[in-house]
Amino acid sequence: MSAFNPSKLFTQPLKTLAQVTALAGALASFSVLAEPVEIKFSHVVAENTPKGQMALKFKALVEERLPGEYQVSVFPNSQLFGDNNELAALLLNDVQLVAPSLSKFERYTKKLQLFDLPFLFKDMAAVDKFQQSEAGQKLLNSMKRKGVVGLGYLHNGMKQFSANEPLLLPKDASGKKFRVMASDVLAAQFAAVDATAVKKPFSEVFTLLQTRAIDGQENTWSNIYSKKFFEVQSHITESNHGVLDYMVVTSNTFWKSLPGDKRKIIKEALDEAIAYGNKIAGDKNDQDRQLIIDSKRSLVVELTPEQRQAWVDAMKPVWAKFEDQIGKDVIDAAVAANQ
Ligand code: SIN
């Protein structure tokens, strides 16, 4: 369909006031009819999580700064796409922004496996320091050749183990089945304590736990709370053994299709929304941890330094298996962020 051109309504030069008024009217109705460009942002978590809140902030900022021109539609809770298809949908331009956990990019790059190495970062400040470093920023470009553009890192927090028994020592996990995100490193992490890892999408975890098809899982406080995993797991071990953060990504095709001035405004809005999400992530996880404790549905177990060290000793050998794929230089840079 060819674009509507109101000036074609007049084949002769405009002469009378009536003609000018008619043209102005036609132009006004044209601008009313023009649809804003829709940016779809799909994610798998609830709205009351760091990622859910960040997505809503992004929508508010874009629609405030580009009113009538761009509209952001946010689809939480795997409503539009889930773990198994969101990146493929991005490359098909069926969705324009997604923010999968860093554990879910394995098919597109092996470099991001770094973030799954158990006991790599001592806390979220170290994670943030690494992500903002030169080595961390370089990883945002690690999927460019596959058409995936990294726009920024977004925090959730540190992961905890949960099960229907207290997990105090690695031997307590032995023989049990744990759900993991689609990551070979996470599978190896559980194999290191003689447990079985089952790769399943986030949307299936609650039912798998509820029906006891699996024994346990690992996640952040905000995900354990917002998806009610604590209602179907009797114990949560405060292990802080790994990080669950995100990369906000778009497709090269969509990103390049945006006019330069609009892309700049959208990127600024995204940076601000990410800064907002990162600011609330720590508090959100602390609050949700407390809500879980207060609920008395699940017992939160703290580890002694000796118990924690036993998990470190059992799981850290996993690093060596993935060193070649990730790159020793990148691992060293991440370790240095703990200083
Ligand atoms: C998410 O936080 O996006 C989901 C994490 C998971 O799959 O466990």
PDB file of all heavy atoms in Angstrom, residues 44-45 51 83 99-101 104 156 179 181 200-202 205 217-220 223 229 244 246, ligand 1:
ATOM      1  N   VAL A  44       9.921 -13.151  31.261  1.00  0.00           N
ATOM      2  CA  VAL A  44       9.320 -14.366  31.836  1.00  0.00           C
ATOM      3  C   VAL A  44       8.961 -14.233  33.319  1.00  0.00           C
ATOM      4  O   VAL A  44       8.360 -15.143  33.878  1.00  0.00           O
ATOM      5  CB  VAL A  44      10.257 -15.598  31.642  1.00  0.00           C
ATOM      6  CG1 VAL A  44      10.534 -15.839  30.167  1.00  0.00           C
ATOM      7  CG2 VAL A  44      11.571 -15.447  32.415  1.00  0.00           C
ATOM      8  N   VAL A  45       9.345 -13.096  33.930  1.00  0.00           N
ATOM      9  CA  VAL A  45       9.116 -12.990  35.379  1.00  0.00           C
ATOM     10  C   VAL A  45       7.872 -12.152  35.676  1.00  0.00           C
ATOM     11  O   VAL A  45       7.232 -11.607  34.775  1.00  0.00           O
ATOM     12  CB  VAL A  45      10.358 -12.395  36.107  1.00  0.00           C
ATOM     13  CG1 VAL A  45      11.526 -13.344  36.049  1.00  0.00           C
ATOM     14  CG2 VAL A  45      10.725 -11.035  35.543  1.00  0.00           C
ATOM     15  N   LYS A  51      13.262  -6.984  37.065  1.00  0.00           N
ATOM     16  CA  LYS A  51      13.105  -6.920  35.601  1.00  0.00           C
ATOM     17  C   LYS A  51      11.716  -6.410  35.234  1.00  0.00           C
ATOM     18  O   LYS A  51      11.570  -5.593  34.313  1.00  0.00           O
ATOM     19  CB  LYS A  51      13.353  -8.311  34.996  1.00  0.00           C
ATOM     20  CG  LYS A  51      13.304  -8.316  33.480  1.00  0.00           C
ATOM     21  CD  LYS A  51      13.989  -9.528  32.836  1.00  0.00           C
ATOM     22  CE  LYS A  51      13.499 -10.867  33.239  1.00  0.00           C
ATOM     23  NZ  LYS A  51      14.216 -11.973  32.581  1.00  0.00           N
ATOM     24  N   ASP A  83      11.170 -19.020  27.751  1.00  0.00           N
ATOM     25  CA  ASP A  83      12.610 -19.278  27.625  1.00  0.00           C
ATOM     26  C   ASP A  83      12.980 -19.987  26.326  1.00  0.00           C
ATOM     27  O   ASP A  83      14.052 -19.762  25.781  1.00  0.00           O
ATOM     28  CB  ASP A  83      13.072 -20.173  28.778  1.00  0.00           C
ATOM     29  CG  ASP A  83      13.149 -19.411  30.083  1.00  0.00           C
ATOM     30  OD1 ASP A  83      13.273 -18.178  30.035  1.00  0.00           O
ATOM     31  OD2 ASP A  83      13.090 -20.055  31.144  1.00  0.00           O
ATOM     32  N   ALA A  99      15.069  -9.662  27.845  1.00  0.00           N
ATOM     33  CA  ALA A  99      16.166  -9.546  28.820  1.00  0.00           C
ATOM     34  C   ALA A  99      16.357 -10.891  29.518  1.00  0.00           C
ATOM     35  O   ALA A  99      16.096 -11.025  30.717  1.00  0.00           O
ATOM     36  CB  ALA A  99      15.853  -8.437  29.822  1.00  0.00           C
ATOM     37  N   PRO A 100      16.818 -11.887  28.768  1.00  0.00           N
ATOM     38  CA  PRO A 100      16.999 -13.206  29.394  1.00  0.00           C
ATOM     39  C   PRO A 100      18.106 -13.193  30.443  1.00  0.00           C
ATOM     40  O   PRO A 100      19.009 -12.334  30.414  1.00  0.00           O
ATOM     41  CB  PRO A 100      17.416 -14.103  28.226  1.00  0.00           C
ATOM     42  CG  PRO A 100      17.075 -13.343  26.985  1.00  0.00           C
ATOM     43  CD  PRO A 100      17.172 -11.898  27.352  1.00  0.00           C
ATOM     44  N   SER A 101      18.012 -14.134  31.341  1.00  0.00           N
ATOM     45  CA  SER A 101      19.094 -14.327  32.297  1.00  0.00           C
ATOM     46  C   SER A 101      20.371 -14.630  31.508  1.00  0.00           C
ATOM     47  O   SER A 101      20.323 -15.231  30.428  1.00  0.00           O
ATOM     48  CB  SER A 101      18.721 -15.509  33.194  1.00  0.00           C
ATOM     49  OG  SER A 101      19.853 -16.237  33.533  1.00  0.00           O
ATOM     50  N   LYS A 104      21.049 -17.951  29.745  1.00  0.00           N
ATOM     51  CA  LYS A 104      20.199 -18.463  28.662  1.00  0.00           C
ATOM     52  C   LYS A 104      20.681 -18.104  27.259  1.00  0.00           C
ATOM     53  O   LYS A 104      19.925 -18.198  26.299  1.00  0.00           O
ATOM     54  CB  LYS A 104      18.759 -17.970  28.881  1.00  0.00           C
ATOM     55  CG  LYS A 104      18.145 -18.551  30.156  1.00  0.00           C
ATOM     56  CD  LYS A 104      16.746 -18.052  30.436  1.00  0.00           C
ATOM     57  CE  LYS A 104      16.243 -18.609  31.765  1.00  0.00           C
ATOM     58  NZ  LYS A 104      14.988 -18.010  32.204  1.00  0.00           N
ATOM     59  N   ASN A 156      19.523  -8.871  38.902  1.00  0.00           N
ATOM     60  CA  ASN A 156      18.521  -9.425  39.797  1.00  0.00           C
ATOM     61  C   ASN A 156      19.256  -9.611  41.123  1.00  0.00           C
ATOM     62  O   ASN A 156      19.202  -8.739  41.972  1.00  0.00           O
ATOM     63  CB  ASN A 156      17.902 -10.711  39.244  1.00  0.00           C
ATOM     64  CG  ASN A 156      16.766 -11.199  40.133  1.00  0.00           C
ATOM     65  OD1 ASN A 156      16.768 -10.947  41.337  1.00  0.00           O
ATOM     66  ND2 ASN A 156      15.787 -11.859  39.575  1.00  0.00           N
ATOM     67  N   ARG A 179      16.119 -28.338  39.084  1.00  0.00           N
ATOM     68  CA  ARG A 179      15.876 -27.616  37.830  1.00  0.00           C
ATOM     69  C   ARG A 179      16.971 -26.559  37.678  1.00  0.00           C
ATOM     70  O   ARG A 179      17.325 -25.859  38.637  1.00  0.00           O
ATOM     71  CB  ARG A 179      14.512 -26.921  37.869  1.00  0.00           C
ATOM     72  CG  ARG A 179      14.226 -26.083  36.622  1.00  0.00           C
ATOM     73  CD  ARG A 179      14.659 -24.621  36.799  1.00  0.00           C
ATOM     74  NE  ARG A 179      14.477 -23.847  35.584  1.00  0.00           N
ATOM     75  CZ  ARG A 179      14.640 -22.540  35.515  1.00  0.00           C
ATOM     76  NH1 ARG A 179      14.994 -21.845  36.581  1.00  0.00           N
ATOM     77  NH2 ARG A 179      14.485 -21.909  34.380  1.00  0.00           N
ATOM     78  N   MET A 181      18.494 -23.475  34.658  1.00  0.00           N
ATOM     79  CA  MET A 181      18.276 -22.784  33.387  1.00  0.00           C
ATOM     80  C   MET A 181      19.099 -23.520  32.329  1.00  0.00           C
ATOM     81  O   MET A 181      19.931 -24.365  32.659  1.00  0.00           O
ATOM     82  CB  MET A 181      18.721 -21.324  33.516  1.00  0.00           C
ATOM     83  CG  MET A 181      17.860 -20.545  34.512  1.00  0.00           C
ATOM     84  SD  MET A 181      18.411 -18.840  34.743  1.00  0.00           S
ATOM     85  CE  MET A 181      19.589 -19.023  36.073  1.00  0.00           C
ATOM     86  N   LYS A 200      14.933 -26.775  32.392  1.00  0.00           N
ATOM     87  CA  LYS A 200      13.502 -26.532  32.135  1.00  0.00           C
ATOM     88  C   LYS A 200      13.230 -25.033  32.098  1.00  0.00           C
ATOM     89  O   LYS A 200      13.911 -24.255  32.785  1.00  0.00           O
ATOM     90  CB  LYS A 200      12.655 -27.136  33.273  1.00  0.00           C
ATOM     91  CG  LYS A 200      12.637 -28.642  33.283  1.00  0.00           C
ATOM     92  CD  LYS A 200      11.743 -29.192  32.170  1.00  0.00           C
ATOM     93  CE  LYS A 200      11.687 -30.702  32.198  1.00  0.00           C
ATOM     94  NZ  LYS A 200      11.009 -31.267  31.034  1.00  0.00           N
ATOM     95  N   PRO A 201      12.211 -24.612  31.333  1.00  0.00           N
ATOM     96  CA  PRO A 201      11.878 -23.187  31.317  1.00  0.00           C
ATOM     97  C   PRO A 201      11.347 -22.711  32.671  1.00  0.00           C
ATOM     98  O   PRO A 201      10.748 -23.496  33.410  1.00  0.00           O
ATOM     99  CB  PRO A 201      10.770 -23.072  30.252  1.00  0.00           C
ATOM    100  CG  PRO A 201      10.677 -24.388  29.591  1.00  0.00           C
ATOM    101  CD  PRO A 201      11.370 -25.406  30.440  1.00  0.00           C
ATOM    102  N   PHE A 202      11.530 -21.434  32.906  1.00  0.00           N
ATOM    103  CA  PHE A 202      11.112 -20.831  34.175  1.00  0.00           C
ATOM    104  C   PHE A 202       9.611 -21.045  34.426  1.00  0.00           C
ATOM    105  O   PHE A 202       9.199 -21.289  35.559  1.00  0.00           O
ATOM    106  CB  PHE A 202      11.432 -19.330  34.111  1.00  0.00           C
ATOM    107  CG  PHE A 202      11.222 -18.584  35.388  1.00  0.00           C
ATOM    108  CD1 PHE A 202      11.869 -18.945  36.560  1.00  0.00           C
ATOM    109  CD2 PHE A 202      10.385 -17.474  35.425  1.00  0.00           C
ATOM    110  CE1 PHE A 202      11.685 -18.237  37.742  1.00  0.00           C
ATOM    111  CE2 PHE A 202      10.191 -16.757  36.589  1.00  0.00           C
ATOM    112  CZ  PHE A 202      10.840 -17.135  37.752  1.00  0.00           C
ATOM    113  N   VAL A 205       8.669 -24.226  36.452  1.00  0.00           N
ATOM    114  CA  VAL A 205       9.333 -24.604  37.714  1.00  0.00           C
ATOM    115  C   VAL A 205       8.343 -24.856  38.850  1.00  0.00           C
ATOM    116  O   VAL A 205       8.452 -25.859  39.567  1.00  0.00           O
ATOM    117  CB  VAL A 205      10.387 -23.542  38.127  1.00  0.00           C
ATOM    118  CG1 VAL A 205      11.095 -23.965  39.408  1.00  0.00           C
ATOM    119  CG2 VAL A 205      11.400 -23.330  37.013  1.00  0.00           C
ATOM    120  N   GLN A 217      15.631 -26.432  43.292  1.00  0.00           N
ATOM    121  CA  GLN A 217      15.997 -25.476  42.236  1.00  0.00           C
ATOM    122  C   GLN A 217      16.927 -24.434  42.850  1.00  0.00           C
ATOM    123  O   GLN A 217      17.186 -24.454  44.062  1.00  0.00           O
ATOM    124  CB  GLN A 217      14.747 -24.845  41.632  1.00  0.00           C
ATOM    125  CG  GLN A 217      13.876 -24.056  42.596  1.00  0.00           C
ATOM    126  CD  GLN A 217      14.276 -22.611  42.754  1.00  0.00           C
ATOM    127  OE1 GLN A 217      14.502 -21.902  41.783  1.00  0.00           O
ATOM    128  NE2 GLN A 217      14.378 -22.147  43.992  1.00  0.00           N
ATOM    129  N   GLU A 218      17.406 -23.540  42.029  1.00  0.00           N
ATOM    130  CA  GLU A 218      18.231 -22.423  42.523  1.00  0.00           C
ATOM    131  C   GLU A 218      17.667 -21.147  41.910  1.00  0.00           C
ATOM    132  O   GLU A 218      17.332 -21.126  40.727  1.00  0.00           O
ATOM    133  CB  GLU A 218      19.703 -22.601  42.128  1.00  0.00           C
ATOM    134  CG  GLU A 218      19.903 -22.867  40.642  1.00  0.00           C
ATOM    135  CD  GLU A 218      21.330 -22.686  40.167  1.00  0.00           C
ATOM    136  OE1 GLU A 218      22.257 -22.640  40.978  1.00  0.00           O
ATOM    137  OE2 GLU A 218      21.499 -22.579  38.935  1.00  0.00           O
ATOM    138  N   ASN A 219      17.554 -20.100  42.727  1.00  0.00           N
ATOM    139  CA  ASN A 219      17.042 -18.839  42.201  1.00  0.00           C
ATOM    140  C   ASN A 219      17.276 -17.697  43.180  1.00  0.00           C
ATOM    141  O   ASN A 219      17.758 -17.911  44.291  1.00  0.00           O
ATOM    142  CB  ASN A 219      15.547 -18.976  41.851  1.00  0.00           C
ATOM    143  CG  ASN A 219      15.290 -18.494  40.437  1.00  0.00           C
ATOM    144  OD1 ASN A 219      15.594 -17.349  40.115  1.00  0.00           O
ATOM    145  ND2 ASN A 219      14.760 -19.370  39.595  1.00  0.00           N
ATOM    146  N   THR A 220      16.886 -16.510  42.740  1.00  0.00           N
ATOM    147  CA  THR A 220      17.022 -15.329  43.607  1.00  0.00           C
ATOM    148  C   THR A 220      15.809 -15.244  44.527  1.00  0.00           C
ATOM    149  O   THR A 220      14.757 -15.814  44.250  1.00  0.00           O
ATOM    150  CB  THR A 220      17.063 -14.050  42.754  1.00  0.00           C
ATOM    151  OG1 THR A 220      15.854 -13.998  41.977  1.00  0.00           O
ATOM    152  CG2 THR A 220      18.251 -14.043  41.815  1.00  0.00           C
ATOM    153  N   ASN A 223      12.629 -14.026  42.670  1.00  0.00           N
ATOM    154  CA  ASN A 223      11.949 -15.027  41.849  1.00  0.00           C
ATOM    155  C   ASN A 223      11.299 -16.109  42.725  1.00  0.00           C
ATOM    156  O   ASN A 223      10.202 -16.578  42.423  1.00  0.00           O
ATOM    157  CB  ASN A 223      12.931 -15.680  40.869  1.00  0.00           C
ATOM    158  CG  ASN A 223      13.190 -14.808  39.650  1.00  0.00           C
ATOM    159  OD1 ASN A 223      12.486 -13.822  39.416  1.00  0.00           O
ATOM    160  ND2 ASN A 223      14.203 -15.142  38.871  1.00  0.00           N
ATOM    161  N   PHE A 229       7.697 -20.213  44.826  1.00  0.00           N
ATOM    162  CA  PHE A 229       8.440 -21.475  44.997  1.00  0.00           C
ATOM    163  C   PHE A 229       8.550 -21.826  46.492  1.00  0.00           C
ATOM    164  O   PHE A 229       8.602 -22.997  46.857  1.00  0.00           O
ATOM    165  CB  PHE A 229       9.862 -21.385  44.398  1.00  0.00           C
ATOM    166  CG  PHE A 229       9.921 -21.102  42.920  1.00  0.00           C
ATOM    167  CD1 PHE A 229      11.091 -20.622  42.336  1.00  0.00           C
ATOM    168  CD2 PHE A 229       8.823 -21.319  42.092  1.00  0.00           C
ATOM    169  CE1 PHE A 229      11.166 -20.355  40.972  1.00  0.00           C
ATOM    170  CE2 PHE A 229       8.885 -21.062  40.727  1.00  0.00           C
ATOM    171  CZ  PHE A 229      10.055 -20.570  40.165  1.00  0.00           C
ATOM    172  N   LEU A 244      22.363 -14.288  39.313  1.00  0.00           N
ATOM    173  CA  LEU A 244      21.338 -14.353  38.262  1.00  0.00           C
ATOM    174  C   LEU A 244      21.090 -12.905  37.822  1.00  0.00           C
ATOM    175  O   LEU A 244      20.420 -12.141  38.515  1.00  0.00           O
ATOM    176  CB  LEU A 244      20.044 -14.990  38.774  1.00  0.00           C
ATOM    177  CG  LEU A 244      19.039 -15.456  37.707  1.00  0.00           C
ATOM    178  CD1 LEU A 244      17.993 -16.365  38.319  1.00  0.00           C
ATOM    179  CD2 LEU A 244      18.385 -14.348  36.940  1.00  0.00           C
ATOM    180  N   TYR A 246      20.812 -10.229  34.089  1.00  0.00           N
ATOM    181  CA  TYR A 246      20.240 -10.264  32.737  1.00  0.00           C
ATOM    182  C   TYR A 246      21.062  -9.431  31.771  1.00  0.00           C
ATOM    183  O   TYR A 246      21.783  -8.507  32.180  1.00  0.00           O
ATOM    184  CB  TYR A 246      18.833  -9.662  32.754  1.00  0.00           C
ATOM    185  CG  TYR A 246      17.931 -10.251  33.807  1.00  0.00           C
ATOM    186  CD1 TYR A 246      17.591  -9.526  34.949  1.00  0.00           C
ATOM    187  CD2 TYR A 246      17.428 -11.535  33.659  1.00  0.00           C
ATOM    188  CE1 TYR A 246      16.761 -10.073  35.915  1.00  0.00           C
ATOM    189  CE2 TYR A 246      16.598 -12.087  34.622  1.00  0.00           C
ATOM    190  CZ  TYR A 246      16.266 -11.351  35.753  1.00  0.00           C
ATOM    191  OH  TYR A 246      15.456 -11.901  36.707  1.00  0.00           O
TER     192      TYR A 246
HETATM  193  C1  SIN B   1      14.391 -14.813  35.129  1.00  0.00           C
HETATM  194  O1  SIN B   1      14.711 -14.254  36.193  1.00  0.00           O
HETATM  195  O2  SIN B   1      14.259 -14.229  34.063  1.00  0.00           O
HETATM  196  C2  SIN B   1      14.126 -16.288  35.166  1.00  0.00           C
HETATM  197  C3  SIN B   1      15.165 -17.036  35.888  1.00  0.00           C
HETATM  198  C4  SIN B   1      15.005 -18.542  35.765  1.00  0.00           C
HETATM  199  O3  SIN B   1      14.743 -19.059  34.676  1.00  0.00           O
HETATM  200  O4  SIN B   1      15.182 -19.222  36.781  1.00  0.00           O
END
